[in-house]
């Protein structure tokens, strides 16, 4: 048995070294999901890319995406439903999308400082800041490190501490190292797993399949996993309760990546946070975009009919 396994692994390794990268079969005509052109600014010598829409004179709404994706992936279905009276700015974090690749270790606080620098470069003194997943951790750090820049805080599918137990952190870290090792040999396998999963759950529309596959295959193995390690090390539990910005926490109640208990703990730690629960998994921005956009719009308008799950928090 072990002999056949070794032979199989050797054959796979040789195929990945010398064989072609065969893409999936795409259904029908293909197109990009969000035809919203962007531009970039420099913060020091580092180039950062963003997309902008809405009223250029409106209150800024800064959108921060999560790990492994970029603004056009996470916010593609939500942006068209957001209140266009706001100046909507969707950033690509470092090492993501069209922003610059920076080959060095970093933590979430560095990402938050870079968002602040982009806002400065755009002449944005303060904004409503929304972050999803890792982007939610960046938004927390931004509100903590640059409180004058955040007038309202929207956090979705995220946590104050994604892995509170040491055993969880070490176990997840080991999986990350294995994932990075596999990606270094071949990006195809993990890309196919995520691509077909998104298709199966309805998060990927047929006409966007080629675009998503190209996105999956464009990631740099080392830089991709650096973002994961940054998220795993994040911990805002010591100071999150001192934030005084009005906050909305959107909980994905069937999340398979960010523990649901950690999401509720985040909501409980933020004084007077409004909490909305979605019957969704981590890909909620692609499957439950209407509910997310509605919650954000109601929160922006200070509407009292925002559905709050107060009995789940505390």
């Amino acid at each position: 048995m072990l002999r056949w396994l070794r032979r199989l692994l050797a054959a796979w390794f040789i195929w990945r070294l010398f064989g072609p990268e065969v893409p999936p079969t795409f259904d029908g005509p293909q197109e990009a999901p969000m035809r919203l052109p962007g531009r970039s600014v420099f913060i020091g010598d580092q180039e950062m890319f963003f997309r902008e829409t809405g009223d250029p004179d409106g209150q800024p709404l800064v959108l921060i995406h999560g790990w492994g994706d970029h603004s056009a992936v996470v916010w593609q279905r939500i942006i068209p439903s957001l209140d266009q009276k706001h100046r909507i700015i969707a950033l690509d974090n470092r090492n993501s999308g069209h922003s610059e690749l920076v080959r060095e270790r970093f933590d979430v606080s560095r990402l938050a400082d870079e968002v602040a620098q982009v806002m400065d470069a755009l002449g944005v003194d303060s904004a409503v800041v929304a972050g999803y997943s890792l982007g939610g951790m960046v938004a927390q750090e931004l509100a903590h490190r640059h409180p004058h820049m955040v007038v309202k805080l929207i956090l979705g599918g995220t946590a104050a501490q994604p892995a509170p137990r040491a055993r969880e952190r070490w176990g997840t870290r080991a999986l990350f190292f294995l994932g990075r090792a596999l990606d270094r040999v071949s990006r195809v396998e993990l890309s196919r797993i995520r691509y077909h999963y998104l298709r199966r759950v309805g998060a990927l529309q047929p006409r966007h399949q080629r675009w998503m596959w190209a996105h999956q295959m464009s990631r740099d193995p080392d830089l991709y996993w650096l973002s994961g390690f940054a998220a795993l090390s994040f911990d805002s539990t010591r100071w999150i309760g001192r934030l005084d910005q009005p906050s909305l926490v959107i909980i994905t109640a069937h999340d398979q990546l960010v523990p649901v208990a950690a999401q509720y703990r985040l909501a409980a730690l933020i004084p007077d946070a409004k909490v909305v629960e979605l019957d969704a998994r981590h890909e909620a921005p692609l499957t439950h975009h209407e509910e997310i956009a509605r919650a954000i719009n109601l929160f922006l308008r200070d509407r009292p009919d925002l559905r709050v799950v107060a009995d789940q928090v505390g």
Side-chain angles (χ1 to χ4, degrees):
M1 183 67 179
L2 289 177
R3 180 188 304 172
W4 284 105
L5 181 59
R6 286 196 295 268
R7 289 177 177 175
L8 182 62
L9 288 174
W12 169 78
F13 186 76
I14 293 171
W15 173 255
R16 290 275 54 92
L17 285 178
F18 301 105
E21 290 183 348
V22 181
T25 301
F26 306 123
D27 302 328
Q30 297 293 303
E31 64 181 15
M34 186 171 67
R35 295 182 178 275
L36 182 61
R39 57 191 178 96
S40 62
V41 293
F42 277 90
I43 54 172
D45 291 327
Q46 184 177 335
E47 188 173 12
M48 299 291 289
F49 182 85
F50 64 96
R51 293 175 173 85
E52 190 170 6
T53 188
D55 184 353
D57 297 320
Q59 182 186 45
L61 168 59
V62 174
L63 307 177
I64 310 173
H65 64 81
W67 170 32
D69 290 316
H70 53 80
S71 58
V73 176
V74 175
W75 303 106
Q76 57 177 276
R77 297 191 186 181
I78 296 174
I79 286 177
S81 298
L82 292 177
D83 189 340
Q84 298 297 306
K85 294 179 181 179
H86 289 265
R87 179 186 178 188
I88 301 169
I89 303 168
L91 304 174
D92 284 356
N93 296 329
R94 66 155 65 190
N95 304 336
S96 302
H98 296 294
S99 284
E100 189 162 339
L101 305 182
V102 184
R103 295 193 172 277
E104 63 182 23
R105 290 182 178 273
F106 61 90
D107 56 19
V108 174
S109 63
R110 174 68 65 83
L111 297 179
D113 288 345
E114 289 171 354
V115 173
Q117 289 176 283
V118 171
M119 291 172 64
D120 279 337
L122 296 178
V124 175
D125 296 325
S126 62
V128 177
V129 177
Y132 192 81
S133 191
L134 171 60
M137 302 174 198
V138 177
Q140 292 173 59
E141 279 282 5
L142 182 66
H144 172 57
R145 297 170 67 85
H146 308 276
H148 62 285
M149 292 186 133
V150 181
V151 295
K152 285 187 176 182
L153 190 59
I154 301 169
L155 307 172
T158 192
Q161 189 179 21
R165 298 183 180 87
R167 183 165 56 182
E168 291 176 348
R169 289 193 296 274
W170 282 109
T172 306
R173 191 176 295 273
L175 288 176
F176 283 7
F177 276 117
L178 289 173
R180 187 179 66 177
L182 177 59
D183 262 353
R184 282 175 170 177
V185 177
S186 169
R187 291 167 296 177
V188 173
E189 285 69 27
L190 293 181
S191 295
R192 279 190 178 273
I193 289 172
R194 187 173 189 236
Y195 171 83
H196 287 292
Y197 171 78
L198 293 176
R199 287 190 61 176
R200 184 174 62 83
V201 300
L204 177 58
Q205 298 184 61
R207 66 183 184 276
H208 302 153
Q209 292 170 355
R210 183 176 61 194
W211 180 88
M212 179 60 78
W213 176 253
H215 158 65
Q216 289 293 114
M217 291 296 292
S218 68
R219 57 195 170 91
D220 181 290
D222 286 326
L223 300 184
Y224 173 83
W225 290 98
L226 277 179
S227 294
F229 287 120
L232 186 61
S233 302
F234 179 72
D235 183 0
S236 66
T237 55
R238 299 182 305 278
W239 46 260
I240 190 69
R242 297 197 295 271
L243 298 184
D244 58 4
Q245 295 92 344
S247 300
L248 168 66
V249 179
I250 301 174
I251 293 174
T252 43
H254 303 286
D255 203 302
Q256 74 277 32
L257 296 181
V258 179
V260 178
Q263 296 186 45
Y264 276 117
R265 185 184 183 211
L266 167 66
L269 288 170
I270 301 176
D272 302 317
K274 292 186 178 297
V275 183
V276 171
E277 181 187 79
L278 297 181
D279 184 19
R281 292 166 69 86
H282 199 69
E283 59 276 7
L286 298 174
T287 58
H288 292 68
H289 50 284
E290 292 179 352
E291 292 96 321
I292 293 176
R294 180 179 183 274
I296 292 175
N297 285 333
L298 291 176
F299 181 66
L300 292 175
R301 300 167 192 163
D302 295 315
R303 288 279 294 276
D305 52 339
L306 177 65
R307 186 172 64 90
V308 178
V309 191
D311 58 336
Q312 299 284 345
V313 181

